[in-house]
Amino acid sequence: MVDDELAVVHDADRFLRELRLGRGRAESTTKAYAEGMALFLRWCGRTGRDWRMAARDMGLFLLWLRWTPGLSAGGQVVVPGPGVKPVRGDRRINKVLTAVRGFLAHAVVNKVAPAWVLEQIYELADDRDLPLQAQGESGGMRYRLAARHRLQEPETEIDRASDEEVVAMFRVCRSARDRLIVLLLSRVGLRPGQVAGLHRCDLHLLVDSRSLGCDVEGSHLHVVRRQNINGAWSKSRKAWVMPVDFLVVQAADQYVLERHEILGTAGSDFLLVNLFRPPYGHPVSPGAIGELCESLSKRAGLGRRVGPRMCRHAMASNVVDAGGTLDEVQVLLGQKNPESPRPYLHPSRSRLRAAIERVPSPRELNEVGQR
């Protein structure tokens, strides 16, 4: 991180290096933290505050975040008032505050900022509002540090992509590579970073892969967390095996032929690479996968943007609709917490209708007329 004079801000840079290298956070996460810290340091500079002491005025920083545009606005000022849309929403502001709290806590630990800063960004709270899994087994009340400044975000539920939408996107694909990407998102349930991070050696599409040194039965792929040159990063720390069906196998075979016709034996070891624009043979980025979904949504005339996350939700919901259990969904999605799959479940209307119809109607229990 550098200031307006392109000089390195050493305390901020030190925290970002620890976040990325010491704690193993994703490059995208480190970038998001850097953006939040840059806003905090910019506010301190513009208001004449020392960032080490500015924690006592976090309420004013919240106000600044809500109504002050970024540098791209060309000096435009937003005046708060009835009907005026804030510059940043509650969700975005909370993400900035998370980065600032981490930065200030790191500064306190390293004796750069005074210890009382922690009292300004955290407060003492109990665990009654935590999920039961986080409250422990003792049964007694426990106290913890809670963020002092946090906005109440509106609860927005992520919708799933319908099967009709996925099929429509699949049909308007113009290459075998794009069709494979759609299936990896909606049929396998991978995140964009996991799709873009796949290497050719991760796909074991034979019925028996023991010749490849793998004892897993059937066609499958391995999801591995790596440091990739295209910025792709698997959110899950563990590696796991994901079974794939004949649709994915067929799409992968067609893509391999397409890739060989265009690149031959050239290209990187990444599975998905640029075939139609330079740099040819370079790995596809996670951002390009999101752009592809947006383009396919428009081309298919869906009327809304179906993103990669909605495709992942569709996969999890379809597994449950087909009789799968939560523990199966948890393993297939590569999740650690047993409760993590629940937000991904979107019961179909037919399954909800069947649930209502299974409830027996009131009827006479005996000849006396008791009900």
Side-chain angles (χ1 to χ4, degrees):
M1 180 180 290
V2 295
D3 58 17
D4 294 337
E5 298 179 357
L6 300 182
V8 176
V9 183
H10 294 286
D11 294 318
D13 187 68
R14 181 180 179 185
F15 170 65
L16 292 174
R17 282 189 279 112
E18 178 180 327
L19 193 71
R20 181 71 179 92
L21 305 176
R23 304 182 189 179
R25 297 293 182 89
E27 183 177 346
S28 58
T29 301
T30 308
K31 179 177 180 292
Y33 268 66
E35 293 172 350
M37 293 161 53
L39 288 172
F40 175 69
L41 295 175
R42 186 180 305 153
W43 169 72
C44 292
R46 290 185 178 181
T47 58
R49 289 179 170 87
D50 184 347
W51 67 265
R52 302 168 186 82
M53 309 293 178
R56 58 166 62 98
D57 295 326
M58 290 295 286
L60 297 177
F61 177 53
L62 279 173
L63 187 65
W64 186 87
L65 284 175
R66 187 177 293 277
W67 300 110
T68 304
L71 295 177
S72 59
Q76 180 184 4
V77 177
V78 177
V79 180
V84 179
K85 184 179 179 180
V87 175
R88 300 175 184 87
D90 294 345
R91 187 181 301 275
R92 169 60 177 153
I93 292 176
N94 281 336
K95 291 181 178 180
V96 172
L97 293 177
T98 299
V100 173
R101 282 193 296 268
F103 173 48
L104 293 179
H106 178 268
V108 171
V109 171
N110 289 274
K111 311 300 182 183
V112 177
W116 57 261
V117 169
L118 292 180
E119 301 175 1
Q120 299 295 322
I121 59 178
Y122 293 106
E123 63 184 356
L124 196 63
D126 56 60
D127 61 355
R128 287 178 293 181
D129 60 335
L130 294 178
L132 294 177
Q133 293 80 0
Q135 293 184 13
E137 301 178 356
S138 62
M141 184 183 298
R142 295 183 179 182
Y143 293 93
R144 62 186 178 90
L145 289 179
R148 182 180 293 275
H149 305 90
R150 183 174 181 83
L151 301 178
Q152 295 295 326
E153 301 178 12
E155 295 185 3
T156 56
E157 184 177 352
I158 300 297
D159 192 12
R160 59 157 290 177
S162 66
D163 294 338
E164 293 76 13
E165 289 173 331
V166 173
V167 171
M169 294 171 62
F170 185 85
R171 286 178 173 175
V172 298
C173 289
R174 296 173 179 171
S175 66
R177 184 200 62 184
D178 293 349
R179 289 193 291 270
L180 177 59
I181 291 176
V182 171
L183 290 181
L184 290 174
L185 294 173
S186 61
R187 194 79 180 173
V188 185
L190 299 182
R191 294 185 173 93
Q194 294 166 342
V195 173
L198 286 174
H199 290 223
R200 287 188 283 185
C201 60
D202 295 332
L203 267 69
H204 294 170
L205 304 182
L206 301 175
V207 177
D208 188 346
S209 300
R210 284 180 292 183
S211 60
L212 303 175
C214 179
D215 296 330
V216 180
E217 297 181 359
S219 302
H220 62 277
L221 58 85
H222 294 261
V223 182
V224 183
R225 194 182 201 186
R226 298 185 180 94
Q227 181 67 44
N228 294 306
I229 60 174
N230 61 345
W233 185 263
S234 176
K235 186 177 180 180
S236 177
R237 294 180 179 271
K238 69 172 184 178
W240 82 94
V241 175
M242 182 68 193
V244 298
D245 60 8
F246 74 98
L247 291 176
V248 178
V249 174
Q250 187 178 30
D253 289 342
Q254 293 175 354
Y255 165 65
V256 169
L257 293 176
E258 178 183 72
R259 172 173 171 161
H260 184 74
E261 290 177 357
I262 297 175
L263 298 179
T265 58
S268 66
D269 184 53
F270 283 83
L271 174 65
L272 301 168
V273 296
N274 293 334
L275 298 178
F276 311 106
R277 61 181 181 182
Y280 298 101
H282 284 228
V284 171
S285 67
I289 294 178
E291 294 173 0
L292 172 65
C293 289
E294 183 175 2
S295 175
L296 294 178
S297 300
K298 294 180 179 179
R299 200 182 306 162
L302 300 182
R304 65 170 183 169
R305 180 185 181 276
V306 175
R309 192 175 182 185
M310 296 170 65
C311 294
R312 180 174 167 87
H313 278 243
M315 177 269 181
S317 256
N318 285 337
V319 170
V320 175
D321 289 341
T325 59
L326 281 181
D327 61 329
E328 293 172 344
V329 176
Q330 175 193 348
V331 174
L332 290 175
L333 295 181
Q335 295 172 329
K336 183 178 180 180
N337 192 328
E339 296 297 319
S340 297
R342 292 194 181 276
Y344 289 83
L345 307 185
H346 304 267
S348 63
R349 294 186 182 274
S350 60
R351 190 152 66 94
L352 294 176
R353 172 65 62 182
I356 292 297
E357 293 178 349
R358 286 196 300 267
V359 179
S361 60
R363 63 185 62 183
E364 294 184 0
L365 299 179
N366 49 44
E367 299 177 355
V368 182
Q370 296 179 349
R371 294 183 181 276

